[in-house]
Amino acid sequence: MKRSQMEYVAGGGLIDRRSLLVGGIAFLAASSIKPVAASVNEGVKRIGDDFPVWSRTLGRQGTTYGQPSIHEKHLKLKLQLPSAPENSGTTGWLTPLEKLHGIITPNGLHFGSHHFGIPDIDPDKHELLIHGLVEKPLKFTMERLLRYPMISKIRFIECAGNTAFNALSPLSHDGSCQDLHGLISCSEWVGIQASLLLNETGLGKKAKWVIVEGADGGSHSRSIPLSKLLDDAIIAFYQNGERLRAEQGYPMRLLLPGWEGNTSIKYVHRLEVVDAPAYTGHDSGVYTQHLSNGQIEGFSFYMDVKSVITHPSGKQILEEQGFYEITGLAWSGYGKISKVEVSADDGKTWAPAQLHGPIIEKALTRFSIPWHWDGKSTVLLSRATDAHGRMQPGRKEWKQRYASPTFNHYNAIQSWDISSNGEVENVYV
Ligand SMILES: Nc1nc2c(c(=O)[nH]1)N[C@H]1C(S)=C(S)[C@@H](COP(=O)(O)O)O[C@H]1N2
Ligand SMILES: [Mo]
C-alpha cells in the first residue's frame, strides 16, 4: 500500500479506517502466481496432478462430536501456576485470548478457576434447594428446572484476580496476553432468571441477602445481595448451545453478569435467603482488598471497565514493518463499552478504535484500528470507557489506591512494548 493513500489519525502510524476503504488497495503483497501451463518437456500433465493429496483422495468420515482441526493443536488452555501441585488450592486455567477472534470463547477454551477441583455431578441426583426467609422452601430436580422458561444472554465472566501479575510485580512481568489476561471468557448463557425461582418460594419481609452454595467438595459459597439475584442473575444450564461443561459448573451454575467471577457459583445446589451476609470464607478472605488508606474493601462485586490489545501482544513477533490491524477486547461489569482509544506512540496521542457490533452490556466488545508500523520501537496502549463514563486508570493511579499485596480488581491500562526487531513485551509505563 502506498503510504500517500493512508490518512493518519494519530501518531505512531495509526490509520484512519475510512482511508482504507478505497477499492483496490493491497494491504500486503501476496506472492505472485505463475501461469499454470503444462510445458512441452514435462509431457502431458493434467492440472489436477499438482493438487495436494487432500484434493485427490476421499476425506475422513467424521465423528460423533466435532473437534478442532488437527492443525490447531497449539490452541490450548494454560495453567496459571504450572509448578503448583495438583489440588493444592485454586487451579487457574487461562484462555488464549490472543489466538481467538470475535467475542465468544469456545467452550473447550473457557478459562477455569477451581477451588476444589472439578466434580463430575450426576444430573439425576442433583437438586436445587431454596430455603431460609421464604414462605415455602422449595427443592427442584433438574427435570423440573428444565421445564421453566429460559432466557439467553451473552455475558463475560472475569476472575477478580485476572491480571494479578501486573498488580503485584514491581518490574515488568514477562508474559503473553493469555498469561496476563486469560482469566476472562465470554459465552452465550441460557437458563432461568433466578428471580422466577425466588419469587415462587415467596420472599419474607426481612429477606436481604442470599447465601449461595456449590455442590463441589469444599462447598464454594458467597453471600449475594438479594437485589442482584432479583435483577439479572441467571441459573444457567447451557453454554454456547451445549450443556455446561463440567469445568463451568455442570449441571447448573449461577451467573451474576458483570460481577467478580467467584460470585457466579458453579454446581449451585443451595440458596439460603437471609437478612445479612454470612461472611463465608470467600466473603472475607481472598476476595477482599487492602486499600492504601488502611481500609479493607469487601463485597467489591463489580468488575470495572478494562481493555487489552490481543494483537499485537506479549510474546508475539512482528515479522516486518508495514500494515497491521491492532485488535483487542474491552468490557465493563457496569454495562456497555462506549469508547476504546488506542495509542501507538507511548500514550502521547490517541485515536478512537472501531467498536465491532453488536455492543452488548457486560459482554466482551471487539475493537480494532489499522496501523502502519514503521519498524521503530514504540509502545501500544488501549484505554476503554464505558457507557457510565468510567475510564481505565493508569497503572500508577491503580497502585496508589490499593496496598500491596492486593491483586484483585486490577484494571489499569495495558501497555505492550514493540522493539525495533518486532518483539512484543509487557511493559509498565
Ligand atoms: N462451586 C464453585 N463455584 C465457583 C468456583 C469454585 O471453585 N467452585 N470458582 C469461582 C471463581 S474464583 C471463578 S473466577 C469462576 C470461574 O468460572 P469458570 O471456572 O467457569 O471460568 O467460578 C466461580 N465459581
Ligand atoms: Mo476467580
Side-chain angles (χ1 to χ4, degrees), residues 23-68:
I25 294 178
F27 289 96
L28 304 158
S31 50
S32 58
I33 300 167
K34 291 206 187 83
V36 184
S39 102
V40 186
N41 298 337
E42 283 167 20
V44 181
K45 203 176 170 196
R46 289 164 306 165
I47 288 174
D49 290 347
D50 289 334
F51 283 2
V53 62
W54 52 81
S55 298
R56 287 183 276 109
T57 51
L58 278 177
R60 286 181 295 112
Q61 192 183 25
T63 56
T64 54
Y65 212 113
Q67 295 295 312

Side-chain angles (χ1 to χ4, degrees), residues 13 44 109-110 193 225 268 321:
V44 181
L109 295 173
H110 196 285
Q193 276 172 287
V268 58
Q321 65 182 76

Side-chain angles (χ1 to χ4, degrees), residues 141-343:
T141 60
M142 280 302 295
E143 192 245 323
R144 280 285 300 285
L145 285 173
L146 291 171
R147 280 165 51 195
Y148 277 78
M150 304 262 178
I151 58 163
S152 146
K153 299 282 176 194
I154 294 176
R155 296 290 181 262
F156 73 77
I157 300 181
E158 183 183 21
C159 178
N162 195 19
T163 326
F165 289 126
N166 278 1
L168 290 170
S169 39
L171 296 171
S172 297
H173 182 87
D174 191 20
S176 66
C177 189
Q178 177 173 22
D179 298 329
L180 296 163
H181 297 272
L183 294 178
I184 183 164
S185 296
C186 185
S187 305
E188 185 210 12
W189 303 98
V190 173
I192 309 172
Q193 276 172 287
S195 60
L196 220 57
L197 302 180
L198 285 162
N199 287 328
E200 196 176 330
T201 60
L203 292 163
K205 283 210 175 62
K206 287 193 180 152
K208 285 262 161 30
W209 289 75
V210 180
I211 306 163
V212 185
E213 185 185 76
D216 43 349
S219 308
H220 176 66
S221 57
R222 286 228 46 186
S223 308
I224 308 294
L226 179 64
S227 54
K228 177 66 173 178
L229 290 166
L230 295 179
D231 177 19
D232 61 353
I234 302 172
I235 307 281
F237 307 97
Y238 292 87
Q239 169 186 7
N240 296 328
E242 65 178 6
R243 290 293 292 275
L244 299 181
R245 296 278 168 113
E247 288 83 346
Q248 265 64 63
Y250 186 90
M252 56 173 130
R253 84 177 300 159
L254 179 67
L255 185 82
L256 296 189
W259 283 22
E260 46 184 32
N262 65 77
T263 61
S264 284
I265 311 285
K266 303 187 276 192
Y267 325 107
V268 58
H269 72 164
R270 195 169 72 86
L271 304 183
E272 183 179 351
V273 181
V274 290
D275 58 357
Y279 295 97
T280 69
H282 280 124
D283 283 343
S284 317
V286 65
Y287 298 119
T288 62
Q289 286 73 246
H290 302 205
L291 303 183
S292 45
N293 64 8
Q295 303 275 313
I296 297 283
E297 179 187 73
F299 300 108
S300 47
F301 293 125
Y302 287 85
M303 295 309 290
D304 214 334
V305 62
K306 192 162 166 182
S307 69
V308 62
I309 293 171
T310 54
H311 186 271
S313 62
K315 305 238 167 196
Q316 292 181 334
I317 290 173
L318 302 180
E319 297 291 348
E320 55 183 5
Q321 65 182 76
F323 178 84
Y324 290 90
E325 182 178 64
I326 295 175
T327 183
L329 295 163
W331 62 94
S332 167
Y334 289 90
K336 287 186 183 183
I337 287 295
S338 61
K339 185 169 67 175
V340 178
E341 296 157 291
V342 170
S343 173

